Amino acid sequence: MINYRQAEEKDLSEISTVLTQAYKNYCFYSETIGKTFKDKKSYEEFLYHLFYIYVKTNLKKQICMVGIINESIVSCAGIKNPSIKHSGIYDYIAAGGLSLFKYSSPINILRFLKFSEEGYSICSDLKPDAWYLDSLVVSPNYQGKNLGSQMINDCIKPYVINNGGTELSLITNSEINRQFYIKNGFEEIDESIIIYKNTKLKNWSYSLKLV
């Protein structure tokens, strides 16, 4: 049985590990900033610290939910309330963002942050009043057990509805994720291209009416 709760600061390390393992082969990271690293270990260390800073920042300004089985975090989701100001560069610096320069050059990191913001902005411009599903991951050890769909239906949707939300939006960059969100009732509202250096990625926006 899986239980859900809002993440706490004590969960930072475990959440960052789950995010790293789930996202290290995802094209949004592996085909962009991932290509700037010489070896797998350095890339994964960077991702871990990137996610650590990201989650630490957004625990204060947005919502992070976790799914727990046998006292271990097996899934997590980041959700943004449209009425709360989006975290900016100064928020990430305050959370220790400058430490990322130990792992990659400032120009690569700033380029990646701009790239990330571009993908998000396309969706937020289309659906400015919708809550935004910033991330949804399941630990690789638990994938294939329907935990992603379960978290959407039993955790994310009820949380957003109970807090006054009527619509949920998101972006994704892979075909397998497109099929997952369509299966869970999301409607495609945009298809675009975002570019990191010479790499072009498709960027699909989705929305789901909740009430």
Side-chain angles (χ1 to χ4, degrees):
M1 176 165 177
I2 187 166
N3 296 305
Y4 300 105
R5 64 168 172 81
Q6 197 156 344
E8 303 171 6
E9 193 153 350
K10 67 180 178 64
D11 301 317
L12 271 172
S13 181
E14 193 171 0
I15 293 171
S16 301
T17 298
V18 171
L19 288 168
T20 299
Q21 294 305 308
Y23 276 141
K24 64 184 181 181
N25 295 318
Y26 182 47
C27 60
F28 189 84
Y29 300 97
S30 64
E31 297 300 312
T32 59
I33 197 165
K35 289 186 173 181
T36 67
F37 291 87
K38 295 181 179 179
D39 58 80
K40 178 181 175 182
K41 180 180 178 182
S42 299
Y43 168 54
E44 292 186 15
E45 285 179 352
F46 167 77
L47 281 185
Y48 174 86
H49 286 88
L50 175 70
F51 292 134
Y52 190 96
I53 291 164
Y54 176 80
V55 175
K56 182 179 179 181
T57 300
N58 287 291
L59 278 177
K60 300 176 181 178
K61 302 193 71 171
Q62 296 293 346
I63 301 98
C64 182
M65 305 299 294
V66 293
I68 298 173
I69 295 177
N70 296 329
E71 300 184 354
S72 295
I73 293 174
V74 300
S75 62
C76 55
I79 316 167
K80 293 183 177 179
N81 183 333
S83 67
I84 298 176
K85 185 179 178 182
H86 181 51
S87 297
I89 187 68
Y90 293 109
D91 297 301
Y92 294 112
I93 289 174
L98 294 179
S99 65
L100 291 174
F101 295 157
K102 172 183 175 183
Y103 303 95
S104 184
S105 71
I107 191 168
N108 281 336
I109 292 172
L110 294 174
R111 182 184 284 125
F112 181 74
L113 292 177
K114 182 180 178 182
F115 165 79
S116 301
E117 184 65 26
E118 180 183 355
Y120 163 74
S121 296
I122 293 169
C123 187
S124 64
D125 288 346
L126 289 169
K127 296 288 182 178
D129 298 322
W131 285 59
Y132 181 72
L133 181 57
D134 188 51
S135 60
L136 170 61
V137 302
V138 174
S139 168
N141 294 332
Y142 286 85
Q143 289 178 6
K145 301 179 184 294
N146 207 40
L147 294 186
S149 296
Q150 191 174 339
M151 190 164 199
I152 289 175
N153 293 309
D154 296 344
C155 174
I156 298 167
K157 288 166 63 175
Y159 182 91
V160 174
I161 291 170
N162 290 338
N163 284 276
T166 60
E167 188 172 12
L168 187 63
S169 66
L170 61 90
I171 61 170
T172 191
N173 308 97
S174 73
E175 183 62 38
I176 191 170
N177 284 357
R178 289 181 75 198
Q179 298 308 315
F180 169 79
Y181 288 114
I182 290 170
K183 181 186 76 172
N184 280 283
F186 285 81
E187 177 185 0
E188 188 173 306
I189 57 174
D190 183 70
E191 178 180 328
S192 57
I193 298 291
I194 52 177
I195 302 172
Y196 180 87
K197 290 188 174 182
N198 297 319
T199 299
K200 295 180 179 180
L201 287 185
K202 286 192 174 182
N203 191 77
W204 292 283
S205 298
Y206 283 84
S207 71
L208 175 67
K209 297 287 187 181
L210 299 175
V211 293

